[in-house]
């Protein structure tokens, strides 16, 4: 590595169990030899994110995200490789030596530092403008919303001027380049008009990360302009799906749980009223990334969305994401008012506190919302609703939990526990039919048909790290140089070297590649899905087929390369063809 020795990097990696680290971000459940959870890198309803404790690697079978513990922090926290090493070293109590960074890494780190710096400069300028003559209208808007000066200061509220290049001119005079301002998401560059501010004539809401650093902005237009609310684009330091507005304050709140709102003003109003555990997503739909963030700081989320249809739909979308991540969800009802801001202005914080205490269980809320689609005065529709509710109850896989919810739903709809339990069993029976898969004929196969040389190499390498004894079995027949994919050839060489030293350590190999795409490919390579069968003969046959395919691919590559006419190359091809023919007539013994 460019900075730290391989031995030190390996020490840091081995001191941070990947399951322990990722469990801080993702709710994982043991399934077979691996741990499964909802992928934090894309939206999904069924867990496809696998973490292997034995391999110390993760892989998502949905989006392809893969790697080791360093890769995870680089992808999730947007760290550089050295930053990931440093964070994990600190976690493990390992002191790192001071080292020189490469030019490329220094440039990347410098750019990140400067984006933080220019965002802080912009926030300071917006803050000053709000309190100037130009910001009178915006300041009046905020005071009319009953925000105190103390609250406005706490959240760093500001104003962007009416002129479309005001901030641009200010920051240029400070010495910041067009390129940096564009990378920070503060300007757009127009060939004809030059630099143009992203925000103008808006109340400005600085968005801060968990450490309180300004990473982006939200702006509320003054007047009738569109869009009403505008957020910064994503940058090197800002990912909408992994940040929550107000979390820099809420994370240290002494209150129980996290209150999740829909907008900046709701969060600010709640904090001003003393509910300093309120947060909001940043102009985007709620994601598993947000849920995992909540889970790091609270076991319970109180949804305080608008009481209109749009708010109800948002709550129904958010609940399964929360519950699948392992966060308990409750619904705060604010009727007859639309949102927390209106509610507190009308009834006060004491009444809102009562609504928190009376918050509805999220599942019972879902059932109640489902009821609205049925005419409960009509016997047929009423029975259809009961069947729907019974189907919903099937999502609880643990009997004791399911029985608790059966009791609660039965009470709410004047049924006996037995009646609803019988209906749940009926709905379960209806959906129980599953197509049985035929056993595979070969010992190791991907879920996809092995129809390519690349796939064959992936399968064999995965199989080899799953069963280390294969290195000795294959040594007479296949060398690392016979893998045709350059990346796989490098990986195979490293694995053979590790095996010669004792045991293979696939997670260590990932650390040798700083390119994120290469890390992803290697992680994916080591997670090729294998399906084993008991028959030793089938396993031997499958292994032989893979070796033959790879050796033949290597010969074909040598025959078509630039050196194909070279005499030494021709002799090597003849030798390999003879080995291949001999291999076809023997059995590889397992």
């Amino acid at each position: 590595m460019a900075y730290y020795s391989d031995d030190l990097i390996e020490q840091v990696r081995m001191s941070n169990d990947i399951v322990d680290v990722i469990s801080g971000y993702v709710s994982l459940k043991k399934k077979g030899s691996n741990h499964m959870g909802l992928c934090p890198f894309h939206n999904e309803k069924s867990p496809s994110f696998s973490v292997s404790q034995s391999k110390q690697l993760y892989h998502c079978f949905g989006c392809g995200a893969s790697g080791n513990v360093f890769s995870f922090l680089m992808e999730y926290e947007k760290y550089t490789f050295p930053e990931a090493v440093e964070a994990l070293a600190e976690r493990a109590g390992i002191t790192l030596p001071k080292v020189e960074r490469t030019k490329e890494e220094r440039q990347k780190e410098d750019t990140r530092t400067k984006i933080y710096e220019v965002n802080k400069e912009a926030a300071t300028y917006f803050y000053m403008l709000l309190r100037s003559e130009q910001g009178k209208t915006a300041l009046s808007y905020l005071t009319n919303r009953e925000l105190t000066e103390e609250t406005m200061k706490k959240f760093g509220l500001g104003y962007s001027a009416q002129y479309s290049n005001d901030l641009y001119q200010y920051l240029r005079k400070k010495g910041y380049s067009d390129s940096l301002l564009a990378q920070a998401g503060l300007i757009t560059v127009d060939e004809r008009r030059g630099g143009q501010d992203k925000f103008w004539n808006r109340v400005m809401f600085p968005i801060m990360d968990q450490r309180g650093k300004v990473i982006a902005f939200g702006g509320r237009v003054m007047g009738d302009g569109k869009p009403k609310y505008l957020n910064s684009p994503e940058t090197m330091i800002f990912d909408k799906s992994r940040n929550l507005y107000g979390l820099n304050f809420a994370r240290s709140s002494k209150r129980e749980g996290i209150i999740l709102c829909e907008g900046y003003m709701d969060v600010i109003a709640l904090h001003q009223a003393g509910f300093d555990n309120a947060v909001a997503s940043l102009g985007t739909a709620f994601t598993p990334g947000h849920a995992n963030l909540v889970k790091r700081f609270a076991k319970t989320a109180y949804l305080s969305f608008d009481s209109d249809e749009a708010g109800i739909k948002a709550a129904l979308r958010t609940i399964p994401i929360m519950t699948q991540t392992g966060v308990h969800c409750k619904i705060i009802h604010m009727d007859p008012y639309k949102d927390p801001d209106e509610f507190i202005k009308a009834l006060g914080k004491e009444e809102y506190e009562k609504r928190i205490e009376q918050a509805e269980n999220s599942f019972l809320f879902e059932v109640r919302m489902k009821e609205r689609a049925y005419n409960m005065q009509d016997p047929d529709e009423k029975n259809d609703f009961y069947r729907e509710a019974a189907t919903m109850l099937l999502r609880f896989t643990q009997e004791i939990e399911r029985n608790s919810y059966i009791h609660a739903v039965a009470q709410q709809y004047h049924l006996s526990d037995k009646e609803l339990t019988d209906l749940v069993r009926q709905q379960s029976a209806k959906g129980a039919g599953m197509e049985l898969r035929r056993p595979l004929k070969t010992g190791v196969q991907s879920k996809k048909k092995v129809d390519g040389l690349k796939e064959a190499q992936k399968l064999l390498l995965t199989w080899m790290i799953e069963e280390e004894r294969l290195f000795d079995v294959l040594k007479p027949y296949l060398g690392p140089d016979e893998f045709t994919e350059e990346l796989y050839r490098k990986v195979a060489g490293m694995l053979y070297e590790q095996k010669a030293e004792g045991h293979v350590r696939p997670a260590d190999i990932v650390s040798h590649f700083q390119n994120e795409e290469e890390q992803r490919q290697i992680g994916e390579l080591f997670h090729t899905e294998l399906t084993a069968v008991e028959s030793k003969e089938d396993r031997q046959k499958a292994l032989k087929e893979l070796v033959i395919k790879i050796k033949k691919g290597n010969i074909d590559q040598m025959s078509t390369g630039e050196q194909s006419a070279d005499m030494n190359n021709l002799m090597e091809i003849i030798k390999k063809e003879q080995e291949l023919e001999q291999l076809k007539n023997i059995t590889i013994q397992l």
Side-chain angles (χ1 to χ4, degrees):
M1 296 305 301
Y3 309 124
Y4 305 110
S5 70
D6 290 349
D7 288 344
L8 184 55
I9 289 170
E10 181 64 356
Q11 181 190 352
V12 172
R13 186 191 65 75
M14 292 179 69
S15 301
N16 287 274
D17 179 76
I18 195 166
V19 173
D20 290 343
V21 173
I22 293 181
S23 290
Y25 299 86
V26 180
S27 179
L28 298 174
K29 291 184 179 179
K30 192 82 163 35
K31 188 175 181 182
S33 60
N34 294 333
H35 292 74
M36 299 294 295
L38 292 171
C39 180
F41 304 120
H42 80 289
N43 292 331
E44 63 176 9
K45 294 181 179 179
S46 300
S48 61
F49 184 76
S50 172
V51 184
S52 169
Q53 199 151 34
S54 60
K55 298 177 188 175
Q56 288 293 299
L57 294 171
Y58 69 89
H59 177 68
C60 175
F61 295 101
C63 70
S66 296
N68 63 8
V69 70
F70 297 123
S71 313
F72 183 84
L73 286 191
M74 288 168 70
E75 193 165 359
Y76 193 95
E77 299 283 11
K78 300 298 182 187
Y79 286 162
T80 60
F81 182 79
E83 287 172 337
V85 174
E86 288 156 12
L88 290 169
E90 183 179 354
R91 182 180 184 271
I94 297 172
T95 302
L96 296 175
K98 292 189 179 297
V99 290
E100 284 296 317
R101 304 187 185 276
T102 65
K103 182 180 177 182
E104 180 184 345
E105 287 161 338
R106 283 199 307 271
Q107 286 176 341
K108 189 172 181 181
E109 190 172 334
D110 287 347
T111 300
R112 285 167 58 89
T113 301
K114 286 177 180 176
I115 291 176
Y116 280 118
E117 181 185 302
V118 76
N119 276 344
K120 184 178 179 181
E121 196 74 60
T124 303
Y125 186 63
F126 292 144
Y127 184 88
M128 179 270 294
L129 277 184
L130 178 66
R131 289 146 185 86
S132 71
E133 187 65 25
Q134 291 185 65
K136 283 179 66 176
T137 302
L139 186 60
S140 177
Y141 165 78
L142 292 172
T143 52
N144 287 339
R145 296 291 296 263
E146 300 181 18
L147 296 187
T148 65
E149 176 59 33
E150 183 184 359
T151 296
M152 287 188 267
K153 184 177 180 180
K154 173 182 175 179
F155 284 90
L157 304 188
Y159 171 69
S160 56
Q162 291 185 1
Y163 312 105
S164 62
N165 65 350
D166 184 77
L167 179 69
Y168 173 68
Q169 294 295 341
Y170 174 79
L171 293 174
R172 284 291 289 161
K173 287 176 184 175
K174 289 278 186 178
Y176 297 106
S177 67
D178 284 6
S179 172
L180 180 69
L181 297 179
Q183 286 184 74
L186 292 169
I187 70 160
T188 56
V189 179
D190 185 288
E191 289 185 6
R192 184 170 58 85
R193 297 184 298 165
Q196 299 293 302
D197 292 351
K198 177 78 173 176
F199 302 96
W200 47 282
N201 194 29
R202 291 176 180 271
V203 169
M204 298 301 295
F205 302 86
I207 298 166
M208 302 175 199
D209 64 14
Q210 295 171 42
R211 298 166 292 177
K213 289 188 175 183
V214 179
I215 55 175
F217 294 91
R220 199 270 189 201
V221 72
M222 291 289 91
D224 299 323
K226 298 291 183 181
K228 184 177 178 181
Y229 280 94
L230 180 66
N231 286 325
S232 294
E234 295 196 343
T235 66
M236 286 177 71
I237 63 172
F238 177 50
D239 184 333
K240 292 178 184 179
S241 68
R242 291 179 208 150
N243 285 282
L244 290 166
Y245 184 70
L247 187 62
N248 54 309
F249 300 121
R251 64 177 300 185
S252 56
S253 172
K254 299 295 187 290
R255 285 183 165 272
E256 187 266 334
I258 288 281
I259 299 174
L260 184 63
C261 310
E262 289 193 69
Y264 305 122
M265 288 302 299
D266 288 334
V267 170
I268 294 170
L270 283 169
H271 277 253
Q272 182 169 281
F275 301 96
D276 60 354
N277 56 336
V279 300
S281 57
L282 300 161
T284 183
F286 198 78
T287 69
H290 292 135
N292 287 318
L293 202 51
V294 170
K295 183 176 179 287
R296 291 171 66 181
F297 301 105
K299 294 179 180 178
T300 305
Y302 294 89
L303 305 193
S304 192
F305 292 171
D306 290 359
S307 56
D308 58 12
E309 280 301 314
I312 290 171
K313 287 180 180 177
L316 291 171
R317 284 194 301 270
T318 302
I319 290 167
I321 296 172
M322 281 291 198
T323 52
Q324 287 169 12
T325 309
V327 179
H328 297 301
C329 228
K330 294 187 176 182
I331 312 300
I332 299 173
H333 296 296
M334 292 170 294
D335 48 293
Y337 298 97
K338 182 186 175 185
D339 55 40
D341 188 21
E342 283 186 12
F343 184 97
I344 290 172
K345 283 188 176 76
L347 300 179
K349 62 182 183 182
E350 292 79 10
E351 191 60 35
Y352 189 80
E353 190 82 70
K354 289 179 184 176
R355 294 294 176 99
I356 293 176
E357 294 169 5
Q358 297 162 1
E360 183 179 13
N361 175 280
S362 61
F363 179 76
L364 298 180
F365 170 78
E366 288 181 280
V367 173
R368 192 163 58 79
M369 291 302 102
K370 186 69 70 176
E371 179 194 354
R372 300 190 311 168
Y374 297 88
N375 176 6
M376 298 297 280
Q377 303 306 312
D378 182 297
D380 287 338
E381 290 200 35
K382 190 174 185 179
N383 288 331
D384 287 342
F385 165 69
Y386 288 154
R387 281 189 283 270
E388 182 75 42
T391 302
M392 293 172 70
L393 284 159
L394 288 171
R395 74 176 63 164
F396 299 106
T397 55
Q398 294 183 350
E399 187 176 0
I400 189 168
E401 186 179 21
R402 185 169 61 248
N403 287 341
S404 294
Y405 276 99
I406 285 173
H407 178 70
V409 174
Q411 274 196 323
Q412 186 165 317
Y413 292 99
H414 309 294
L415 297 168
S416 70
D417 287 11
K418 183 181 185 307
E419 286 172 328
L420 188 52
T421 300
D422 289 344
L423 194 53
V424 168
R425 286 175 178 157
Q426 288 174 25
Q427 294 305 104
S428 175
K430 283 183 181 178
M434 295 179 66
E435 183 181 346
L436 296 175
R437 294 178 60 188
R438 294 174 62 187
L440 297 170
K441 293 182 179 179
T442 53
V444 177
Q445 287 194 356
S446 166
K447 286 187 176 180
K448 298 178 182 177
K449 184 181 177 183
V450 184
D451 58 358
L453 178 60
K454 186 175 181 178
E455 188 70 14
Q457 293 171 88
K458 287 170 64 178
L459 283 166
L460 186 59
L461 285 171
T462 300
W463 195 357
M464 289 167 73
I465 66 168
E466 293 281 2
E467 297 184 44
E468 286 191 36
R469 64 192 183 88
L470 289 184
F471 283 90
D472 295 330
V473 171
L474 294 175
K475 196 172 182 179
Y477 310 111
L478 188 73
D481 61 319
E482 292 182 272
F483 286 80
T484 59
E485 295 286 324
E486 183 180 359
L487 185 63
Y488 297 173
R489 189 161 55 248
K490 288 181 184 177
V491 169
M494 291 179 187
L495 286 171
Y496 274 85
E497 286 177 11
Q498 286 182 348
K499 179 59 181 173
E501 294 168 0
H503 295 287
V504 297
R505 305 179 306 280
D508 183 29
I509 289 174
V510 178
S511 302
H512 284 75
F513 297 85
Q514 292 191 43
N515 181 285
E516 288 184 24
E517 177 58 23
E518 287 183 333
Q519 289 185 351
R520 186 193 65 77
Q521 289 184 42
I522 294 167
E524 183 182 71
L525 164 66
F526 290 151
H527 279 85
T528 306
E529 294 181 76
L530 308 178
T531 303
V533 294
E534 295 299 323
S535 167
K536 180 179 178 180
E537 290 74 19
D538 281 347
R539 288 165 58 78
Q540 290 177 164
K541 180 182 176 184
L543 185 61
K544 179 176 173 180
E545 287 175 355
L546 289 174
V547 174
I548 288 174
K549 184 179 278 289
I550 293 168
K551 290 185 75 71
K552 187 175 185 306
N554 176 243
I555 292 169
D556 291 343
Q557 188 180 67
M558 293 177 69
S559 302
T560 56
E562 293 180 2
Q563 304 297 319
S564 58
D566 179 82
M567 183 55 69
N568 289 331
N569 188 67
L570 287 172
M571 295 298 292
E572 185 66 20
I573 290 173
I574 292 170
K575 178 186 173 185
K576 286 180 178 291
E577 286 178 335
Q578 290 173 342
E579 290 175 353
L580 184 61
E581 288 305 311
Q582 292 172 359
L583 180 60
K584 289 178 181 177
N585 297 317
I586 64 170
T587 298
I588 297 179
Q589 296 292 336
L590 283 175

